[in-house]
Amino acid sequence: MPSNQSLSDRDLSVLWHPCTQMKDHETFPIIPIKKGQGVWLEDFDGNRYLDAISSWWVNLFGHANPIINAALKDQLDTLEHVIFAGFTHQSAVKLAEKLVEITPEGLSRCFYADNGSAAVEVALKMSFHYWRNQGQTQKTKFITLENSYHGETLGALAVGNVSLYKETYAPLLMDVITVPGPDCYLREPGESWADYSTRRFALMEQTLQQHSDAVCAVIIEPLVQCAGNMRMYDPVYLKLLRAACDKYNVHLIADEIAVGFGRTGTLFACEQAVISPDFMCLSKGLTGGYLPLSAVLTTDQVYQAFYADYQAMSAFLHSHSYTGNALACRAALATIDIFQQHNIIEKNKSLADSMAKAAARFHDHPNVAEVRQTGMILAIELVKNKRTREPYPWQERRGLKVYQYALSQGVLLRPLGNVIYFMPPYIVTENELLLIADVAWQGIQQAVKD
């Protein structure tokens, strides 16, 4: 039987891991996982870890979920994959029907890709190509928010604004228009989220008024900028943005890759503003954390702009070898079935309250600037000085110290810089939430003691 050490050694001789300075693993070992069950992961030495971040925000209903497992076993005996150009299959059709049913009104067409970044690429290209097919070839720009993140392929990276991901590759990226965002961490003392988000929208309005003739779309992460340190804002911003995009004849792309499927307290974050975007990008939780799959939902108006005789050369040009993969589609169907048959959104309200109670003591911690929460996402922002909100120098890697301590106590927390966040699977218990909070508290104590 392999051990942690033997597998780690083999790994480091051949593998290159994502978002990782591999030299760190000279002193901080990689952890090989043998199996998962529910919210728990187990390594080859018998240590267990509570997956408090849903394995990079994808796992909604636990590892080795029996319902999703059964669906995949059934699908595997029938069809694993088939070319999706000129062919289709039952799971892809049923999933598209279900997505049209559960997403905001007006989203009536589904285009599959195989990961979140690819979904963003599809939406960007589709918006640009729509305007081209309409004869508005001057529309070539995109508007994005500061501190935004939409993926790491070149188009998705271009419309993001987190410098850690973007600066190195800047010479390869298209130019975009970046607007100061509604991030409520920056609000004035005593100012509400709604008031601040409304006030900040004036900057977006000015930009649309000035550039709308050249702009294809605004792309936004509704309510929570997850990779941007879990910064949050009020739904009123989305409502104002939808109205402005209509006014200035610009598409609205909602990147719900991280915030969709119940993370913000509703099935989709856009529901909290009662809006429908022109494009909605979905991935991550779509398959319950089992298989890579993404979908772009759009309107019939967009679809009809591409629908013509072949000689018109107006078809949308985008493909992936694994488009509409049958196994992934079946996992997604099982995931949606769990939502619908087990009243998950309502149950999550109670879980979100429990998470808030578990984290209540962090509000008064001398090195915590803010505890913020939207639904099943809770973030704790560490700072050097609570009064001035002076951050710790990034080079000190305080968040990494919390991560390392938490692992030693059997909890998987993977901070974003100095922001510790809880984003657990929806099957987490109140006692497990208390464990997550206790370990995070002790980890922060360790990280700030000097």
Side-chain angles (χ1 to χ4, degrees), residues 87-400:
F87 289 78
T88 192
H89 57 86
Q90 188 176 25
S91 292
V93 174
K94 287 177 68 175
L95 177 59
E97 290 171 341
K98 191 64 81 168
L99 289 173
V100 167
E101 173 191 323
I102 66 176
T103 51
E105 186 177 357
L107 297 173
S108 60
R109 296 286 174 170
C110 176
F111 190 99
Y112 291 125
D114 53 10
N115 61 69
S117 293
V120 170
E121 300 282 348
V122 166
L124 298 175
K125 288 173 64 178
M126 205 175 271
S127 176
F128 163 79
H129 202 160
Y130 169 89
W131 295 115
R132 182 178 184 272
N133 284 353
Q134 298 293 91
Q136 298 200 44
T137 55
Q138 81 285 358
K139 282 182 171 282
T140 61
K141 294 285 188 181
F142 294 92
I143 295 176
T144 188
L145 292 179
E146 67 180 358
N147 194 46
S148 59
Y149 175 88
H150 298 286
E152 295 179 40
T153 51
L154 293 181
L157 196 59
V159 295
N161 189 246
V162 177
S163 59
L164 174 65
Y165 303 100
K166 186 172 181 179
E167 285 184 354
T168 299
Y169 306 104
L172 304 179
L173 307 178
M174 65 179 171
D175 291 329
V176 299
I177 301 166
T178 303
V179 175
D183 169 7
C184 288
Y185 181 75
L186 304 173
R187 68 193 185 282
E188 296 295 326
E191 187 175 20
S192 72
W193 281 29
D195 286 347
Y196 182 75
S197 296
T198 299
R199 177 162 64 86
R200 295 290 279 180
F201 184 75
L203 300 167
M204 176 64 78
E205 177 90 38
Q206 292 167 11
T207 303
L208 282 167
Q209 186 176 32
Q210 182 178 354
H211 297 286
S212 61
D213 286 349
V215 170
C216 300
V218 177
I219 183 168
I220 191 167
E221 300 155 279
L223 302 187
V224 185
Q225 294 180 309
C226 290
N229 288 326
M230 296 293 171
R231 295 290 177 84
M232 302 174 184
Y233 61 93
D234 193 86
V236 68
Y237 193 92
L238 298 175
K239 190 178 288 288
L240 293 168
L241 180 58
R242 174 69 278 180
C245 286
D246 289 341
K247 177 180 178 180
Y248 294 106
N249 202 27
V250 167
H251 286 146
L252 174 58
I253 301 171
D255 175 355
E256 293 234 13
I257 290 161
V259 298
F261 295 101
R263 278 295 170 198
T264 65
T266 47
L267 191 58
F268 301 104
C270 284
E271 294 174 30
Q272 296 184 40
V274 198
I275 65 158
S276 293
D278 300 292
F279 303 89
M280 180 178 279
C281 300
L282 303 173
S283 192
K284 288 195 181 291
L286 174 59
T287 66
Y290 268 69
L291 289 163
L293 178 70
S294 62
V296 178
L297 278 293
T298 191
T299 65
D300 198 60
Q301 180 180 346
V302 170
Y303 176 80
Q304 291 299 331
F306 295 85
Y307 196 87
D309 291 333
Y310 182 82
Q311 289 76 9
M313 298 299 287
S314 62
F316 183 55
L317 304 174
H318 195 97
S319 60
H320 292 273
S321 301
Y322 282 93
T323 296
N325 176 261
L327 289 166
C329 288
R330 190 65 182 276
L333 280 167
T335 299
I336 294 170
D337 283 345
I338 295 172
F339 273 105
Q340 296 185 324
Q341 294 174 17
H342 296 273
N343 201 20
I344 298 300
I345 297 301
E346 197 60 34
K347 289 179 179 178
N348 278 2
K349 292 177 183 177
S350 176
L351 270 181
D353 287 344
S354 296
M355 192 152 60
K357 291 174 185 174
R361 58 177 156 167
F362 290 91
H363 288 277
D364 296 325
H365 193 285
N367 295 104
V368 171
E370 181 178 66
V371 179
R372 50 185 175 268
Q373 183 177 6
T374 298
M376 289 294 292
I377 306 172
L378 186 144
I380 301 158
E381 184 135 351
L382 300 185
V383 290
K384 187 174 184 178
N385 186 304
K386 189 181 186 78
R387 183 181 61 82
T388 65
R389 290 191 167 184
E390 177 190 357
Y392 283 109
W394 64 266
Q395 296 90 340
E396 294 179 5
R397 304 181 76 179
R398 302 279 176 156
L400 178 66

